[in-house]
Amino acid sequence: MRFDLLMMIRLMMLLGLIKCAASGLDKVGGKHGWDQNVNYTDWASHQHFYVGDWLYFVFDKNYYNVLEVNQTNYEQCIDRDFISNITRGGRDVFHLTQARPYYFISSGGYCFHGMKLAINVEQPLPASPAPSSSDKTNASPPQIVKHLITPVFAISSTLVWMFLFA
């Protein structure tokens, strides 16, 4: 009975990891997080954001916050009339649910010091069809994106964990 319960729990964890891993989790600012003296325009230019991804804001909640704003408020660093305050505890996530531009700022004057982020969220890339046999000589290698790597890693690590501790 105990073995069946443990296997059921492990299977549920595996399914949960697969579901969570299907979307990307992007730590805003990379290793620096949401802080002053980070060029978020440069950081965002090296990222690709898709519907279903999550932004992960890591910051000191005693100093900073994260507000979703419109384009005008982003450009002028206006922290009134924001769309949503996503600040909860300094380790906050935001789900990108639509293909559109998103704008985020930190209030208290920090926006004027560069704590603002603008991103463009796209629809996920469709799977490319396999090249026909006549196209194989000119075919480029398949593009591997985070939406493939993350689920593979999650599944692999969970299976290893299940076999080691079963």
Side-chain angles (χ1 to χ4, degrees):
M1 179 71 166
R2 177 168 154 65
F3 177 75
D4 291 337
L5 180 61
L6 286 175
M7 285 305 289
M8 178 74 80
I9 291 170
R10 289 183 182 127
L11 181 60
M12 289 172 39
M13 289 175 63
L14 174 63
L15 293 174
L17 279 174
I18 292 170
K19 183 175 178 2
C20 290
S23 298
L25 179 67
D26 297 293
K27 182 179 177 185
V28 175
K31 66 180 178 180
H32 304 289
W34 187 242
D35 203 351
Q36 295 184 76
N37 304 316
V38 177
N39 185 336
Y40 293 103
T41 302
D42 181 60
W43 175 81
S45 72
H46 294 89
Q47 310 297 317
H48 293 281
F49 303 98
Y50 299 101
V51 172
D53 285 355
W54 294 81
L55 295 179
Y56 179 42
F57 290 89
V58 178
F59 57 96
D60 185 339
K61 69 177 182 168
N62 295 311
Y63 296 102
Y64 312 124
N65 62 4
V66 183
L67 306 175
E68 181 189 4
V69 296
N70 62 33
Q71 184 177 2
T72 301
N73 288 15
Y74 168 82
E75 291 168 351
Q76 299 176 10
C77 289
I78 299 171
D79 58 9
R80 296 179 314 278
D81 302 321
F82 51 83
I83 297 169
S84 65
N85 181 348
I86 67 166
T87 308
R88 297 293 175 261
R91 305 281 182 272
D92 302 317
V93 294
F94 183 86
H95 194 203
L96 303 171
T97 58
Q98 298 176 15
R100 66 174 177 88
Y102 285 85
Y103 303 94
F104 302 94
I105 66 171
S106 187
S107 65
Y110 294 108
C111 177
F112 292 107
H113 298 286
M115 286 188 72
K116 59 192 219 172
L117 172 68
I119 62 170
N120 188 43
V121 176
E122 304 170 11
Q123 289 293 337
L125 298 173
S128 59
S132 67
S133 58
S134 62
D135 294 339
K136 285 186 179 177
T137 56
N138 295 328
S140 61
Q143 195 176 38
I144 298 176
V145 294
K146 66 183 171 187
H147 295 282
L148 177 61
I149 295 171
T150 304
V152 169
F153 176 76
I155 293 167
S156 302
S157 60
T158 303
L159 289 174
V160 168
W161 181 82
M162 284 176 59
F163 289 115
L164 287 176
F165 299 105

